[in-house]
PDB file of all heavy atoms in Angstrom:
ATOM      1  N   ASP A1035     107.885 108.605  69.251  1.00 98.00           N
ATOM      2  CA  ASP A1035     106.547 109.212  69.110  1.00 98.00           C
ATOM      3  C   ASP A1035     105.821 108.619  67.910  1.00 98.00           C
ATOM      4  O   ASP A1035     104.624 108.311  67.969  1.00 98.00           O
ATOM      5  CB  ASP A1035     106.659 110.734  68.915  1.00 98.00           C
ATOM      6  CG  ASP A1035     107.012 111.458  70.193  1.00 98.00           C
ATOM      7  OD1 ASP A1035     106.952 110.824  71.268  1.00 98.00           O
ATOM      8  OD2 ASP A1035     107.362 112.658  70.114  1.00 98.00           O
ATOM      9  N   TYR A1036     106.554 108.487  66.826  1.00 98.00           N
ATOM     10  CA  TYR A1036     105.971 107.910  65.611  1.00 98.00           C
ATOM     11  C   TYR A1036     105.514 106.479  65.873  1.00 98.00           C
ATOM     12  O   TYR A1036     104.389 106.089  65.527  1.00 98.00           O
ATOM     13  CB  TYR A1036     106.992 107.952  64.475  1.00 98.00           C
ATOM     14  CG  TYR A1036     106.477 107.369  63.184  1.00 98.00           C
ATOM     15  CD1 TYR A1036     105.446 108.013  62.489  1.00 98.00           C
ATOM     16  CD2 TYR A1036     106.990 106.192  62.653  1.00 98.00           C
ATOM     17  CE1 TYR A1036     104.950 107.485  61.311  1.00 98.00           C
ATOM     18  CE2 TYR A1036     106.498 105.658  61.476  1.00 98.00           C
ATOM     19  CZ  TYR A1036     105.481 106.311  60.807  1.00 98.00           C
ATOM     20  OH  TYR A1036     104.990 105.783  59.644  1.00 98.00           O
ATOM     21  N   ASP A1037     106.373 105.704  66.490  1.00 98.00           N
ATOM     22  CA  ASP A1037     106.039 104.306  66.746  1.00 98.00           C
ATOM     23  C   ASP A1037     104.841 104.183  67.688  1.00 98.00           C
ATOM     24  O   ASP A1037     103.981 103.317  67.508  1.00 98.00           O
ATOM     25  CB  ASP A1037     107.254 103.568  67.326  1.00 98.00           C
ATOM     26  CG  ASP A1037     108.285 103.254  66.245  1.00 98.00           C
ATOM     27  OD1 ASP A1037     108.073 103.651  65.081  1.00 98.00           O
ATOM     28  OD2 ASP A1037     109.302 102.599  66.567  1.00 98.00           O
ATOM     29  N   ARG A1038     104.770 105.072  68.687  1.00 98.00           N
ATOM     30  CA  ARG A1038     103.621 105.051  69.601  1.00 98.00           C
ATOM     31  C   ARG A1038     102.320 105.302  68.848  1.00 98.00           C
ATOM     32  O   ARG A1038     101.296 104.668  69.105  1.00 98.00           O
ATOM     33  CB  ARG A1038     103.796 106.101  70.711  1.00 98.00           C
ATOM     34  CG  ARG A1038     104.254 105.507  72.042  1.00 98.00           C
ATOM     35  CD  ARG A1038     104.262 106.543  73.154  1.00 98.00           C
ATOM     36  NE  ARG A1038     105.344 107.509  72.986  1.00 98.00           N
ATOM     37  CZ  ARG A1038     106.598 107.297  73.398  1.00 98.00           C
ATOM     38  NH1 ARG A1038     106.919 106.193  74.038  1.00 98.00           N
ATOM     39  NH2 ARG A1038     107.533 108.212  73.185  1.00 98.00           N
ATOM     40  N   ALA A1039     102.360 106.224  67.892  1.00 98.00           N
ATOM     41  CA  ALA A1039     101.154 106.519  67.106  1.00 98.00           C
ATOM     42  C   ALA A1039     100.753 105.304  66.275  1.00 98.00           C
ATOM     43  O   ALA A1039      99.562 104.958  66.180  1.00 98.00           O
ATOM     44  CB  ALA A1039     101.399 107.735  66.212  1.00 98.00           C
ATOM     45  N   MET A1040     101.743 104.636  65.684  1.00 98.00           N
ATOM     46  CA  MET A1040     101.427 103.437  64.893  1.00 98.00           C
ATOM     47  C   MET A1040     100.857 102.335  65.775  1.00 98.00           C
ATOM     48  O   MET A1040      99.892 101.663  65.409  1.00 98.00           O
ATOM     49  CB  MET A1040     102.669 102.919  64.168  1.00 98.00           C
ATOM     50  CG  MET A1040     102.910 103.632  62.861  1.00 98.00           C
ATOM     51  SD  MET A1040     103.932 102.634  61.773  1.00 98.00           S
ATOM     52  CE  MET A1040     105.372 102.425  62.788  1.00 98.00           C
ATOM     53  N   VAL A1041     101.479 102.140  66.938  1.00 98.00           N
ATOM     54  CA  VAL A1041     101.002 101.106  67.869  1.00 98.00           C
ATOM     55  C   VAL A1041      99.547 101.369  68.234  1.00 98.00           C
ATOM     56  O   VAL A1041      98.713 100.460  68.241  1.00 98.00           O
ATOM     57  CB  VAL A1041     101.886 101.047  69.138  1.00 98.00           C
ATOM     58  CG1 VAL A1041     101.217 100.227  70.238  1.00 98.00           C
ATOM     59  CG2 VAL A1041     103.266 100.479  68.810  1.00 98.00           C
ATOM     60  N   LYS A1042      99.224 102.629  68.509  1.00 98.00           N
ATOM     61  CA  LYS A1042      97.843 102.956  68.887  1.00 98.00           C
ATOM     62  C   LYS A1042      96.872 102.589  67.771  1.00 98.00           C
ATOM     63  O   LYS A1042      95.828 101.962  68.015  1.00 98.00           O
ATOM     64  CB  LYS A1042      97.717 104.440  69.242  1.00 98.00           C
ATOM     65  CG  LYS A1042      96.303 104.796  69.639  1.00 98.00           C
ATOM     66  CD  LYS A1042      96.121 106.209  70.110  1.00 98.00           C
ATOM     67  CE  LYS A1042      94.726 106.440  70.713  1.00 98.00           C
ATOM     68  NZ  LYS A1042      93.615 105.810  69.986  1.00 98.00           N
ATOM     69  N   GLU A1043      97.216 102.963  66.541  1.00 98.00           N
ATOM     70  CA  GLU A1043      96.315 102.652  65.409  1.00 98.00           C
ATOM     71  C   GLU A1043      96.125 101.143  65.260  1.00 98.00           C
ATOM     72  O   GLU A1043      95.018 100.671  64.993  1.00 98.00           O
ATOM     73  CB  GLU A1043      96.876 103.242  64.107  1.00 98.00           C
ATOM     74  CG  GLU A1043      96.984 104.764  64.107  1.00 98.00           C
ATOM     75  CD  GLU A1043      95.620 105.460  64.099  1.00 98.00           C
ATOM     76  OE1 GLU A1043      94.595 104.783  63.864  1.00 98.00           O
ATOM     77  OE2 GLU A1043      95.580 106.684  64.334  1.00 98.00           O
ATOM     78  N   LEU A1044      97.206 100.399  65.425  1.00 98.00           N
ATOM     79  CA  LEU A1044      97.133  98.939  65.250  1.00 98.00           C
ATOM     80  C   LEU A1044      96.364  98.286  66.399  1.00 98.00           C
ATOM     81  O   LEU A1044      95.546  97.389  66.189  1.00 98.00           O
ATOM     82  CB  LEU A1044      98.547  98.364  65.138  1.00 98.00           C
ATOM     83  CG  LEU A1044      99.295  98.777  63.860  1.00 98.00           C
ATOM     84  CD1 LEU A1044     100.797  98.565  64.017  1.00 98.00           C
ATOM     85  CD2 LEU A1044      98.777  98.016  62.642  1.00 98.00           C
ATOM     86  N   LYS A1045      96.614  98.755  67.615  1.00 98.00           N
ATOM     87  CA  LYS A1045      95.907  98.195  68.781  1.00 98.00           C
ATOM     88  C   LYS A1045      94.422  98.547  68.730  1.00 98.00           C
ATOM     89  O   LYS A1045      93.576  97.727  69.078  1.00 98.00           O
ATOM     90  CB  LYS A1045      96.517  98.730  70.077  1.00 98.00           C
ATOM     91  CG  LYS A1045      97.948  98.273  70.330  1.00 98.00           C
ATOM     92  CD  LYS A1045      98.021  96.979  71.112  1.00 98.00           C
ATOM     93  CE  LYS A1045      99.458  96.654  71.453  1.00 98.00           C
ATOM     94  NZ  LYS A1045      99.671  95.288  71.924  1.00 98.00           N
ATOM     95  N   ASP A1046      94.104  99.780  68.301  1.00 98.00           N
ATOM     96  CA  ASP A1046      92.695 100.183  68.185  1.00 98.00           C
ATOM     97  C   ASP A1046      91.933  99.216  67.286  1.00 98.00           C
ATOM     98  O   ASP A1046      90.746  98.987  67.476  1.00 98.00           O
ATOM     99  CB  ASP A1046      92.577 101.593  67.601  1.00 98.00           C
ATOM    100  CG  ASP A1046      92.847 102.684  68.633  1.00 98.00           C
ATOM    101  OD1 ASP A1046      93.001 102.342  69.829  1.00 98.00           O
ATOM    102  OD2 ASP A1046      92.913 103.874  68.244  1.00 98.00           O
ATOM    103  N   ARG A1047      92.641  98.673  66.297  1.00 98.00           N
ATOM    104  CA  ARG A1047      91.992  97.744  65.343  1.00 98.00           C
ATOM    105  C   ARG A1047      92.231  96.282  65.721  1.00 98.00           C
ATOM    106  O   ARG A1047      91.919  95.393  64.934  1.00 98.00           O
ATOM    107  CB  ARG A1047      92.474  98.049  63.933  1.00 98.00           C
ATOM    108  CG  ARG A1047      91.949  99.396  63.441  1.00 98.00           C
ATOM    109  CD  ARG A1047      92.623  99.819  62.164  1.00 98.00           C
ATOM    110  NE  ARG A1047      92.104 101.084  61.688  1.00 98.00           N
ATOM    111  CZ  ARG A1047      92.530 102.289  62.083  1.00 98.00           C
ATOM    112  NH1 ARG A1047      93.491 102.388  62.992  1.00 98.00           N
ATOM    113  NH2 ARG A1047      92.003 103.388  61.581  1.00 98.00           N
ATOM    114  N   GLN A1048      92.812  96.082  66.875  1.00 97.00           N
ATOM    115  CA  GLN A1048      92.981  94.723  67.431  1.00 97.00           C
ATOM    116  C   GLN A1048      93.684  93.775  66.483  1.00 97.00           C
ATOM    117  O   GLN A1048      93.235  92.652  66.266  1.00 97.00           O
ATOM    118  CB  GLN A1048      91.618  94.156  67.829  1.00 97.00           C
ATOM    119  CG  GLN A1048      90.961  94.975  68.929  1.00 97.00           C
ATOM    120  CD  GLN A1048      89.594  94.431  69.282  1.00 97.00           C
ATOM    121  OE1 GLN A1048      88.691  94.418  68.460  1.00 97.00           O
ATOM    122  NE2 GLN A1048      89.451  93.986  70.514  1.00 97.00           N
ATOM    123  N   VAL A1049      94.775  94.231  65.886  1.00 97.00           N
ATOM    124  CA  VAL A1049      95.485  93.337  64.975  1.00 97.00           C
ATOM    125  C   VAL A1049      96.252  92.293  65.783  1.00 97.00           C
ATOM    126  O   VAL A1049      96.796  92.566  66.853  1.00 97.00           O
ATOM    127  CB  VAL A1049      96.421  94.077  63.988  1.00 97.00           C
ATOM    128  CG1 VAL A1049      95.709  95.239  63.309  1.00 97.00           C
ATOM    129  CG2 VAL A1049      97.696  94.518  64.639  1.00 97.00           C
ATOM    130  N   ALA A1050      96.237  91.067  65.247  1.00 97.00           N
ATOM    131  CA  ALA A1050      96.931  89.955  65.907  1.00 97.00           C
ATOM    132  C   ALA A1050      98.379  89.878  65.466  1.00 97.00           C
ATOM    133  O   ALA A1050      99.240  89.380  66.196  1.00 97.00           O
ATOM    134  CB  ALA A1050      96.227  88.642  65.583  1.00 97.00           C
TER     135      ALA A1050
END
Side-chain angles (χ1 to χ4, degrees):
D1035 285 348
Y1036 180 67
D1037 284 3
R1038 258 187 289 276
M1040 276 202 302
V1041 166
K1042 180 175 189 318
E1043 297 291 348
L1044 293 162
K1045 294 270 186 194
D1046 281 353
R1047 291 169 179 85
Q1048 297 178 297
V1049 311

